[in-house]
Amino acid sequence: MTSLDKPTQDTDQTPPDDARAVTEAALFEAFGGVRGMVETVLPGLLFVAIFTINKNLHFSAIAALALSLVLVVVRLARKDTVKHAFSGVFGVAFGVVFAMFTGNAKDFYLPGMLYTLGLALAYIITTLAGVPLIGLILGPVFKENLSWRTRNPGRKKAYAKASWAWGLILLAKCAILFPLYWWADTAQLGWVLVALKIPPFLLAVYLTWVFLAKAPAPIDVFAEMEAEEQAEKAEKAEKERLAALAAENGEPAGGRHRREA
């Protein structure tokens, strides 16, 4: 029986306490943990701090980009995961290029704001389409891939709730930032943006944890595939054993098996 033929998991199953710890660890892994959050805040904080003092766009932008690169180098030196640090570098680099091109310091923040808006819409649209984005992100982390779509309806419902939470929280953040982009000066926008970096993120992560902690446990499709592979190897080994016994007795392959049957 293949993994696709296995019965759907009971949606009333309550995950054990250790599943909550696994969920928490997986969320930290997927979103970078405390260190990842700090690394997303520091470049923008440095930019707005320097710009508030000297109003020098070029110096502020270059300092922010240099700090992002330093964070990547530190991770490489420590042989840590660099995906979150690299994403920060690209985000800062886009902001630097955009601000330098337009000459408007506020445009340093615009690419990140547009990304936030696009991500909010992605969470909402994918949820409406039946493939909530948070499930696509966390599925591989939980070793369940897309099994939650057809075999674990309770977990799919939890992913849908979490995706709605992420989408609405990010939309609320955009509703604050975009008016400030037009009405506030660079320093005001920058400090508000820095202040809104971590709290909405923590709220979304917490709600995701709440929804998933109450959901059925993930189906480990990797373990299933490994079990199927082991079963196939055992079956092959048994056939080879029977064939070897038949050869020793001078019987045609499969003859002993037919008599025993």
Side-chain angles (χ1 to χ4, degrees):
M1 181 167 59
T2 65
S3 60
L4 293 178
D5 297 325
K6 289 182 173 59
T8 300
Q9 189 167 353
D10 184 4
T11 57
D12 293 331
Q13 177 184 350
T14 301
D17 291 340
D18 59 351
R20 296 174 181 267
V22 171
T23 298
E24 182 178 346
L27 287 174
F28 267 87
E29 177 184 343
F31 297 113
V34 174
R35 185 175 178 181
M37 289 187 290
V38 171
E39 289 177 344
T40 62
V41 172
L42 286 180
L45 177 60
L46 182 62
F47 176 89
V48 68
I50 294 176
F51 189 84
T52 300
I53 295 171
N54 62 18
K55 307 299 181 183
N56 188 316
L57 168 60
H58 290 75
F59 184 72
S60 303
I62 292 173
L65 183 58
L67 177 58
S68 296
L69 292 173
V70 168
L71 294 174
V72 171
V73 171
V74 170
R75 277 189 175 264
L76 289 173
R78 294 166 57 96
K79 297 182 179 179
D80 293 335
T81 303
V82 297
K83 61 180 180 180
H84 300 289
F86 269 125
S87 64
V89 168
F90 288 127
V92 173
F94 275 117
V96 168
V97 170
F98 207 67
M100 295 290 192
F101 180 77
T102 63
N104 184 353
K106 284 196 292 187
D107 288 340
F108 173 80
Y109 303 110
L110 188 57
M113 292 166 57
L114 293 174
Y115 172 79
T116 300
L117 178 59
L119 189 60
L121 295 176
Y123 276 116
I124 293 173
I125 293 172
T126 55
T127 303
L128 292 174
V131 283
L133 180 58
I134 198 70
L136 300 178
I137 295 172
L138 296 180
V141 177
F142 285 110
K143 300 180 180 180
E144 60 182 334
N145 285 350
L146 295 178
S147 63
W148 50 268
R149 287 197 62 201
T150 55
R151 300 173 55 201
N152 206 339
R155 198 157 181 87
K156 180 180 179 180
K157 185 177 180 180
Y159 280 139
K161 289 180 179 179
S163 289
W164 275 114
W166 278 90
L168 294 176
I169 288 171
L170 293 180
L171 279 181
K173 180 178 176 179
C174 291
I176 296 172
L177 293 178
F178 276 97
L180 289 176
Y181 174 80
W182 296 108
W183 302 332
D185 60 34
T186 302
Q188 291 171 333
L189 174 62
W191 287 114
V192 172
L193 196 147
V194 168
L196 290 178
K197 272 284 186 178
I198 292 181
F201 174 82
L202 289 179
L203 176 59
V205 170
Y206 171 73
L207 291 176
T208 301
W209 180 84
V210 169
F211 295 139
L212 291 182
K214 296 178 180 179
I219 300 172
D220 191 337
V221 295
F222 295 103
E224 289 182 346
M225 289 188 290
E226 183 177 352
E228 290 175 3
E229 183 179 352
Q230 293 297 327
E232 290 175 358
K233 288 181 179 179
E235 183 179 356
K236 182 179 179 181
E238 178 64 14
K239 289 181 179 179
E240 291 175 349
R241 185 185 69 83
L242 292 175
L245 288 174
E248 289 177 1
N249 296 327
E251 300 175 356
R256 181 183 178 89
H257 179 68
R258 285 194 296 271
R259 288 206 311 272
E260 290 177 351

